Amino acid sequence: MRVTKKLLLGSVVATAALALAACAPQATTPSATESGEAGPAEVTVGIVTSETGPLAGYGTQYIDAFDVCLDIATDGTGEVNGTTIVVERKDDAGDPDKAVTAAKELIGAGVNILAGTASSGVALAMAEQAAQNQVLYISGPAAADAITGINEYTFRSGRQSAQDVATAGTFLDDIEGKTIAVFAQNTAFGQGNVAAVEAILGAQGATIAPVLVAEDVTEFTPFAQQVLAAEPDLVFVAWAGATSGAMWQAMSQQGVLDAVPVVTGLGDAATFGAYGEASEKISFLNHYFPGANENEINTQMIEGIEAAGGTPDLFSPDGCNAAIMIVHAIGEGKGDVDAMVASLEGFEFDGPKGTMTVRAGDHALIQEMYQVKLVADGGSFVPELVATSSADDVAPAEAE
């Protein structure tokens, strides 16, 4: 699929509400407008993400927000210093091999900006391609910490597992000597969460007891029993995908939720009803939901997605951030990879979650996180903000 978008250079911040140019610490790298240098006639951005497969819903959230925020960040115009930006999408179906094939096809056709990816396994494979071929890669919702700092060409537009774990830590008092069970899928995402809990909460004196479940498992009773057998003081659940409902049912039926405090990330809206009777027993950390905060870019993104027939959701900010970052990179670097990379290092901008900062040293995206509860609303549940964790308080340790 090939979608041509008309973009305006220097309009990364077309309004004061976006405030991107005013915030960006890029004084040493003049924009194309300031330098007077024209960019190439055309730049193609390759979006490789899940449009089918188990994470297709996440891919839809990302793409819908990307399209809207590309228009927002550029006033919906057609050129960046005379450069037409072309967006070409490819479906990775959550399969690293398919993603690598798609990346090679795009790179072979001259594409030097890649973005997207909901699966951590796919993102790690894409990052390897970025380094081998020296192209800019901006990962999407994929949360594995290993993506951060993996190479100089890879950035991320979403949060990472360490930020989830740090937010979970805000629910706790003293954890010295406590046992924390990590219940997760045996994937790059799940393994990344185990590593993050060990690094962050283990460093505070907790004993970590991982319970990892194969991604294709559909019967979770034995694993819920393993959690209980560990006799934890707290359970941290890291889960994604269509099996969430069955997993939570097993956790509830086996008495885990009554026996020990459970903290998990609040997923997208499709999962709000999946917790059943567990809904009001779980403490939720959260990356984003549409009512988490109020700012101009968030309002514009929500309105734009809804106007296009979509629904703003958990990973909408990831697509929006990617669009803003790409417009900025092209505006500053004019399609040159090294210049685009340099322009993003230290880049600070207003996104749907407020102020976002691309950490220069390892390309982590520093951002606020949320404590949330689910409350009954008629026959369903809706998220309600409990507290906001500042970006600095949940920032991951800098990758070396």
Side-chain angles (χ1 to χ4, degrees), residues 1-397:
M1 180 175 183
R2 199 168 167 86
V3 183
T4 301
K5 295 241 173 235
K6 293 187 174 183
L7 307 178
L8 173 66
L9 181 74
S11 186
V12 176
V13 247
T15 67
L18 290 181
L20 301 184
C23 293
Q26 301 297 331
T28 59
T29 306
S31 68
T33 298
E34 293 168 341
S35 67
E37 297 177 16
E42 180 177 288
V43 170
T44 297
V45 178
I47 302 294
V48 181
T49 196
S50 293
E51 298 187 59
T52 61
L55 301 181
Y58 298 164
T60 297
Q61 294 169 30
Y62 175 95
I63 290 167
D64 287 351
F66 182 92
D67 289 346
V68 167
C69 289
L70 207 54
D71 285 336
I72 291 172
T74 62
D75 275 349
T77 60
E79 295 182 349
V80 176
N81 265 13
T83 299
T84 300
I85 294 186
V86 177
V87 177
E88 185 166 347
R89 297 209 311 254
K90 288 187 177 291
D91 178 18
D92 63 32
D95 183 335
D97 291 338
K98 289 184 178 180
V100 168
T101 297
K104 289 180 176 179
E105 290 175 354
L106 289 165
I107 294 167
V111 173
N112 65 2
I113 304 174
L114 300 175
T117 315
S119 162
S120 291
V122 170
L124 291 168
M126 291 286 287
E128 182 179 359
Q129 289 300 307
Q132 289 178 359
N133 295 280
Q134 298 181 347
V135 300
L136 172 62
Y137 173 52
I138 302 175
S139 176
D145 290 313
I147 298 166
T148 297
I150 190 170
N151 57 59
E152 63 181 301
Y153 299 100
T154 299
F155 294 78
R156 62 193 322 149
S157 65
R159 99 299 186 202
Q160 62 186 82
S161 296
Q163 287 158 310
D164 288 344
V165 173
T167 307
T170 66
F171 289 92
L172 306 173
D173 295 322
D174 182 20
I175 65 169
E176 177 75 30
K178 302 293 177 61
T179 297
I180 299 175
V182 183
F183 190 55
Q185 292 152 307
N186 195 8
T187 61
F189 170 68
Q191 293 162 10
N193 271 273
V194 171
V197 173
E198 289 175 339
I200 296 169
L201 303 183
Q204 299 177 40
T207 298
I208 312 304
V211 178
L212 292 173
V213 183
E215 195 172 17
D216 59 355
V217 165
T218 57
E219 172 52 58
F220 301 101
T221 297
F223 300 99
Q225 292 171 344
Q226 286 182 37
V227 171
L228 288 173
E231 299 184 348
D233 297 288
L234 181 136
V235 180
F236 177 76
V237 178
W239 210 269
T243 58
S244 294
M247 180 275 291
W248 285 113
Q249 183 178 28
M251 293 282 276
S252 180
Q253 290 176 345
Q254 295 305 307
V256 176
L257 302 174
D258 295 318
V260 60
V262 175
V263 176
T264 192
L266 183 64
D268 58 352
T271 69
F272 292 171
Y275 306 100
E277 62 184 27
S279 298
E280 296 178 336
K281 298 180 180 180
I282 302 170
S283 297
F284 292 99
L285 61 93
N286 179 246
H287 168 50
Y288 172 84
F289 68 96
N293 55 38
E294 295 182 5
N295 64 56
E296 185 65 22
I297 185 65
N298 190 42
T299 299
Q300 290 179 326
M301 181 190 74
I302 291 171
E303 291 176 350
I305 292 172
E306 291 176 343
T311 302
D313 212 328
L314 179 67
F315 295 122
S316 297
D318 303 32
C320 187
N321 293 337
I324 294 170
M325 292 168 69
I326 286 170
V327 170
H328 175 78
I330 294 173
E332 294 289 329
K334 301 176 287 295
D336 176 80
V337 172
D338 289 340
M340 291 191 295
V341 167
S343 77
L344 288 173
E345 292 181 336
F347 179 41
E348 185 176 291
F349 62 97
D350 287 345
K353 295 176 65 176
T355 301
M356 316 292 288
T357 304
V358 181
R359 193 160 59 190
D362 62 359
H363 303 173
L365 189 60
I366 309 304
Q367 60 197 279
E368 65 184 25
M369 297 284 286
Y370 311 105
Q371 292 184 9
V372 175
K373 64 181 179 179
L374 284 178
V375 297
D377 181 26
S380 60
F381 289 89
V382 295
E384 183 177 294
L385 183 67
V386 174
T388 297
S389 299
S390 74
D392 289 340
D393 286 346
V394 296

